[in-house]
Amino acid sequence: MAIRTLLGACAGVALAAPALAAGPALGAEAKSSINIHAISMFVAFVLLTLGITYWAAKRTRSTAHFYTAGGGITGLQNGLAIAGDYMSAATLLGLTAMVYTTGYDGYIYMIAFFVGWPIILFLMAERLRNLGRYTFADITSYRLDQGKVRTMAAVSSLTVVCFYLVAQMVGAGQLIKLLFGLDYVFALFIVGGLMMIYVTFGGMIATTWVQIIKAGMLLCGGTFAMVLAMSHFGFSYATVVNEATAVHKLGFKLFQPGALLADPVNAVSLGVGLMFGTAGLPHILMRFFTVSDAKAARKSVLYASAFVGYFFNVIFLMGLCAIVIVGTNPEFFEGGQVGGRIIGGGNMVVMHLAKAVGGDLLLGFLAAVAFATILAVVSGLALAGASAISHDLYSRVIMKGKATETSELRVSKIASIGLGIVAITLGILFERMNVAFMVGLAFGIAASANFPVLILSMYWRGLTTLGALAGGYAGLVCAVVLVVLSKLVWVSVLGFAQPIFPYDQPALFSMPLAFLVTIVVSMLDTSRTATAEKKAFEDQWVRAQTGFGAAGASSH
């Protein structure tokens, strides 16, 4: 039945794509953006990934396959998939636009995103694989109260997933509306529907291969665009710098720290959130359970770091080239006024660069890559959210570990569909709102609620259930409250004149609070249960170092 339903969905998407591509009129701007190459490549990608999902559905027969692809993913495959999970559409569109606008500030922003990877490599990757099974809550609750700690981890994970999902869905709707001429709501239903198909039928196997293909497309497409752009400057970085500073309004200040570091507190808070938030994102952490052993987990981080670091440098070069190639061409500005508003908004800089150096074909390819990027990221997020509901809440808390694999798998699929519906609904509700605060909130919560408890559970024998709960909830609540009281929400969304919290990022304040509360409450907890939990650290330490007793890989 599942396979027949999946085949029907494949055929439905294939037949509906041309009709949707012709969608309702969206105004001159959207109409002029319709690109037959983009639509053709988008349909080809969808059909390819649905074929992969059909293949994966026949191999997804257990919770191990659904959550972790049976632990049979290699280090290289997982590294590509992690890179695909991490490099969202905001990476391709937003960071290129940021370099185009602010120059060096954009590169600093990328570095803040990147420096979280050494933390994962040296402090977490090996222990994640040795201690965990399906989710990071397996680790935080290893020697603590299963029900209470898993509930807290699931709540914070779902909060991160939902806000991250909303930002991706709104971005998907706006991007597809511009590039393909589709109605915004139609675009959301396409993304949400495909996400539900990938996760519900194919689980982690399908999601992994969607991410691998998307990462390959992104790396190849970005590299090709960068090479074509650099050929305009004789492949000379010095020439790019000289010409970019000559035409940009910032001049040579383009290569000096600017507004991003104007307020040191805000800059440090942003860096803390992005750096430690990366090490607390549930859909990234979940990927370390898909490999066979701790050695493969370490390789995954090395490969992912290489791919992400390389692509960030590609983006930086594309942004600099765009300053000259796009910034001086009246074709890409509304009314032909150079220096005015860019057609489609600032985030379309990389698309205009692709059009300038590679014509409609490269533009179409990058547009399809951007869409593939969104599909891959939302699939990973949905799977992380579904696992929090089915494995942590249903199986371990509600059923107290007595749920059958069949019932847990059924709840996972229902949760995936539910998350898809929630994502579509929230995407519609937040269409015209500034969603930048959602990404900041997602990283802020991950850094404040997930990371402190996770890292302390791995390394500190003094952690107790009471301390983990107090610190986790304190970080979660503090991060949410501070973001709501900041300018991004209090002023831009709620309409008040002045923000109560003067900074945009909460992590510098909420993450130390989480650590402090966790440590103090754990030290003050002298109960018999707390004593037993501290003694249990020895067993956990042995398994963390050796992997003895960890789940092994299974064929699929």
Side-chain angles (χ1 to χ4, degrees):
M1 176 63 74
I3 303 301
R4 287 200 300 271
T5 305
L6 180 55
L7 284 172
C10 294
V13 170
L15 293 172
L20 289 174
L26 296 170
E29 180 181 307
K31 283 183 179 178
S32 65
S33 300
I34 296 177
N35 184 315
I36 191 64
H37 299 97
I39 295 172
S40 301
M41 292 177 188
F42 155 66
V43 172
F45 173 80
V46 168
L47 291 176
L48 173 63
T49 51
L50 286 174
I52 290 171
T53 305
Y54 171 72
W55 166 79
K58 295 190 294 184
R59 290 158 176 78
T60 302
R61 290 287 179 266
S62 67
T63 51
H65 288 135
F66 186 85
Y67 295 132
T68 64
I73 305 298
T74 68
L76 175 59
Q77 291 170 345
N78 199 43
L80 262 175
I82 291 172
D85 223 349
Y86 192 69
M87 296 185 297
S88 67
T91 307
L92 176 64
L93 303 177
L95 292 180
T96 307
M98 195 171 187
V99 173
Y100 172 86
T101 305
T102 64
Y104 190 65
D105 273 3
Y107 199 64
I108 294 175
Y109 206 85
M110 293 181 211
I111 292 172
F113 271 112
F114 184 72
V115 292
W117 291 104
I119 295 173
I120 297 176
L121 172 61
F122 293 112
L123 296 181
M124 300 175 67
E126 183 174 346
R127 287 170 174 77
L128 282 169
R129 180 59 185 88
N130 286 342
L131 292 173
R133 189 181 181 193
Y134 296 148
T135 69
F136 82 91
D138 291 333
I139 300 164
T140 55
S141 63
Y142 187 91
R143 57 190 170 92
L144 307 180
D145 185 288
Q146 292 280 322
K148 294 176 181 178
V149 175
R150 283 185 184 275
T151 300
M152 178 206 69
V155 168
S156 62
S157 293
L158 286 170
T159 306
V160 173
V161 165
C162 284
F163 279 93
Y164 219 126
L165 262 180
V166 172
Q168 293 295 321
M169 293 296 285
V170 173
Q174 299 293 358
L175 178 69
I176 297 165
K177 179 178 177 180
L178 175 72
L179 294 175
F180 299 138
L182 296 181
D183 180 76
Y184 176 80
V185 177
F186 270 134
L188 290 184
F189 273 97
I190 290 174
V191 176
L194 288 171
M195 174 189 78
M196 287 186 273
I197 292 172
Y198 294 154
V199 177
T200 303
F201 292 103
M204 181 58 87
I205 300 174
T207 299
T208 296
W209 282 103
V210 169
Q211 289 163 343
I212 289 173
I213 292 171
K214 166 257 168 162
M217 291 172 63
L218 190 62
L219 290 166
C220 292
T223 299
F224 189 56
M226 180 270 291
V227 169
L228 290 178
M230 287 296 291
S231 69
H232 286 242
F233 305 93
F235 297 101
S236 169
Y237 178 71
T239 303
V240 176
V241 171
N242 290 334
E243 294 195 25
T245 52
V247 301
H248 199 280
K249 62 182 180 181
L250 292 178
F252 198 74
K253 289 184 178 179
L254 192 68
F255 291 90
Q256 297 175 359
L260 186 65
L261 300 180
D263 185 339
V265 175
N266 207 46
V268 172
S269 191
L270 171 66
V272 168
L274 295 180
M275 178 169 61
F276 295 104
T278 300
L281 292 175
H283 63 297
I284 298 295
L285 297 175
M286 191 176 182
R287 293 228 52 90
F288 291 99
F289 310 128
T290 65
V291 292
S292 57
D293 52 33
K295 181 179 179 180
R298 292 193 298 271
K299 285 184 178 180
S300 298
V301 188
L302 283 173
Y303 283 124
S305 300
F307 292 133
V308 172
Y310 167 77
F311 193 66
F312 279 168
N313 283 287
V314 168
I315 286 174
F316 181 63
L317 289 175
M318 283 198 295
L320 293 182
C321 291
I323 293 172
V324 180
I325 296 173
V326 176
T328 59
N329 191 337
E331 177 186 348
F332 302 118
F333 293 88
E334 292 182 2
Q337 182 180 353
V338 174
R341 177 176 168 79
I342 293 177
I343 295 174
N347 285 331
M348 291 299 106
V349 165
V350 70
M351 296 301 170
H352 294 320
L353 178 67
K355 173 73 177 294
V357 300
D360 285 339
L361 189 61
L362 184 57
L363 171 62
F365 182 75
L366 277 190
V369 166
F371 187 80
T373 296
I374 293 169
L375 282 178
V377 174
V378 297
S379 297
L381 287 166
L383 190 57
S387 64
I389 293 171
S390 58
H391 179 62
D392 294 327
L393 292 180
Y394 172 74
S395 177
R396 299 296 176 175
V397 177
I398 297 175
M399 299 300 293
K400 302 188 184 303
K402 298 179 181 178
T404 63
E405 281 206 355
T406 303
S407 64
E408 187 175 339
L409 202 56
R410 183 172 61 250
V411 171
S412 298
K413 295 183 176 183
I414 294 172
S416 302
I417 295 172
L419 281 169
I421 294 171
V422 168
I424 293 170
T425 304
L426 292 176
I428 294 172
L429 293 176
F430 283 86
E431 176 184 3
R432 301 192 181 281
M433 296 181 72
N434 182 349
V435 296
F437 76 92
M438 294 179 186
V439 177
L441 181 57
F443 273 84
I445 291 174
S448 305
N450 293 347
F451 177 73
V453 176
L454 179 60
I455 201 72
L456 287 174
S457 70
M458 290 179 178
Y459 285 95
W460 188 42
R461 72 176 63 249
L463 181 68
T464 68
T465 296
L466 196 59
L469 292 176
Y473 283 123
L476 174 64
V477 173
C478 183
V480 172
V481 169
L482 290 182
V483 170
V484 169
L485 297 179
S486 71
K487 180 181 177 181
L488 289 169
V489 180
W490 198 252
V491 177
S492 301
V493 177
L494 300 180
F496 290 96
Q498 295 292 330
I500 296 176
F501 179 65
Y503 306 108
D504 295 333
Q505 299 292 334
L508 183 60
F509 306 93
S510 53
M511 192 182 83
L513 175 67
F515 271 109
L516 180 64
V517 171
T518 303
I519 293 171
V520 169
V521 173
S522 293
M523 292 178 68
L524 294 177
D525 186 2
T526 57
S527 64
R528 184 178 301 175
T529 303
T531 303
E533 290 168 349
K534 293 172 183 177
K535 289 182 179 179
F537 181 77
E538 299 297 336
D539 172 67
Q540 177 184 320
W541 184 258
V542 171
R543 176 162 162 177
Q545 296 296 320
T546 64
F548 182 77
S554 60
S555 61
H556 59 269

